[in-house]
């Protein structure tokens, strides 16, 4: 379960870790990721530019002490993705995967971004393999979302809808899993069903970011 409320708890723990060691690479990388999540979901009180600057600041603190750590590289990729620099995210994600091709989240993210940026349909297999190999991973629901957004980018709207519905079933508390389902429905000409998905999401998650507007 990943939502606005859980983010508050996560950031509180990271703040506590950084109070002990302000330069800790993984704590700063983790904070950069959570701020980037706030950025894309519209969570928090700060505006887009402020959140992006804060995420980049923590990323810069993480990189000097352990620049090749896979979690630091993935964090860099996530910050770039969620601040709209998708092409720049790919080298970071590729470097994170290189020493450990079986790292499921880095692998799924890399495939997602290659498909979104370059429309490489074969890259969907990276998300599919992560889902197959790590069904109990905490980001399992997100990988179906990535797969659905890849199919959307390729114009495969029916397949996109199936994948996005899967992501919503896996974690119905996460805003983007609920929100994204409406997109292929609109493109399939099913505006009524799209509106119903949004209404369903509002009932399931009453506290939402500004993406719902």
């Amino acid at each position: 379960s990943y939502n606005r409320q859980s983010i508050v708890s996560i950031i509180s723990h990271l703040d506590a870790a950084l109070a002990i060691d302000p330069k800790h690479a993984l704590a700063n990388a983790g904070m950069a990721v959570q701020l980037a999540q706030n950025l894309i979901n519209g969570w928090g009180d700060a505006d887009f530019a402020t959140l992006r600057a804060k995420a980049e600041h923590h990323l810069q603190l993480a990189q000097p002490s352990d620049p090749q750590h896979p979690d630091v590289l993935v964090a860099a990729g996530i910050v770039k993705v969620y601040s709209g620099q998708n092409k720049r995210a790919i080298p970071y994600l590729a470097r994170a995967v290189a020493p450990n091709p079986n790292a499921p989240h880095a692998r799924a993210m890399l495939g997602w971004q290659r498909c979104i940026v370059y429309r490489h349909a074969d890259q969907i297999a990276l998300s599919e393999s992560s889902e197959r190999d790590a069904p109990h991973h905490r980001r399992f629901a997100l990988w179906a979302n990535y797969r659905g957004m890849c199919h959307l980018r390729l114009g495969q709207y029916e397949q996109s809808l199936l994948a996005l519905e899967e992501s919503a079933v896996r974690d119905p508390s996460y805003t983007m899993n609920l929100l994204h389902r409406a997109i292929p429905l609109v493109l399939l000409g099913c505006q009524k069903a799209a509106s119903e998905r949004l209404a369903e999401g509002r009932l399931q998650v009453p506290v939402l970011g500004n993406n719902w507007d």
Side-chain angles (χ1 to χ4, degrees):
S1 180
Y2 189 71
N3 52 47
R4 194 170 189 163
Q5 290 82 6
S6 62
I7 277 281
V8 173
S9 175
I10 293 168
I11 288 179
S12 176
H13 287 300
L14 290 167
D15 275 332
L18 290 170
I20 297 167
D21 183 358
K23 294 184 179 180
H24 192 282
L26 297 187
N28 275 294
M31 184 65 83
V33 168
Q34 300 313 315
L35 291 171
Q37 290 284 358
N38 283 1
L39 187 72
I40 195 65
N41 286 291
W43 294 336
D45 299 325
D47 59 27
F48 186 94
T50 301
L51 277 173
R52 179 169 59 186
K54 286 182 177 180
E56 288 285 359
H57 171 70
H58 283 285
L59 192 58
Q60 288 165 12
L61 290 173
Q63 287 172 323
S65 57
D66 202 349
Q68 299 305 316
H69 193 289
D71 288 350
V72 173
L73 291 168
V74 171
I78 290 172
V79 171
K80 298 306 180 191
V81 167
Y82 291 158
S83 59
Q85 303 173 72
N86 301 68
K87 189 175 289 187
R88 292 184 63 190
I90 292 173
Y92 288 108
L93 297 169
R95 284 163 57 197
V97 170
N100 183 11
N102 294 319
H105 189 55
R107 183 175 59 190
M109 280 206 75
L110 178 60
W112 172 40
Q113 289 306 299
R114 283 176 173 167
C115 186
I116 293 295
V117 173
Y118 300 115
R119 297 192 182 187
H120 290 171
D122 63 322
Q123 295 300 299
I124 296 176
L126 295 184
S127 289
E128 292 173 333
S129 64
S130 294
E131 293 175 78
R132 183 180 62 249
D133 296 344
H136 302 297
H137 194 283
R138 63 189 181 279
R139 292 186 172 105
F140 181 60
L142 270 180
W143 303 334
N145 192 307
Y146 297 167
R147 177 162 47 89
M149 297 310 286
C150 286
H151 284 301
L152 187 67
R153 177 67 166 153
L154 297 169
Q156 300 165 346
Y157 304 140
E158 293 89 352
Q159 289 168 274
S160 173
L161 179 59
L162 288 172
L164 294 171
E165 291 284 10
E166 281 185 64
S167 74
V169 169
R170 292 175 187 180
D171 183 1
S173 71
Y174 183 43
T175 312
M176 301 309 289
N177 288 349
L178 301 170
L179 177 63
H180 283 166
R181 298 177 303 167
I183 304 172
L185 283 167
V186 169
L187 293 168
L188 288 165
C190 304
Q191 281 79 4
K192 183 174 182 292
S195 296
E196 289 171 352
R197 293 296 190 283
L198 295 179
E200 178 189 343
R202 286 185 186 276
L203 290 173
Q204 289 178 294
V205 189
V207 181
L208 296 168
N210 59 21
N211 274 316
W212 289 92
D213 298 325

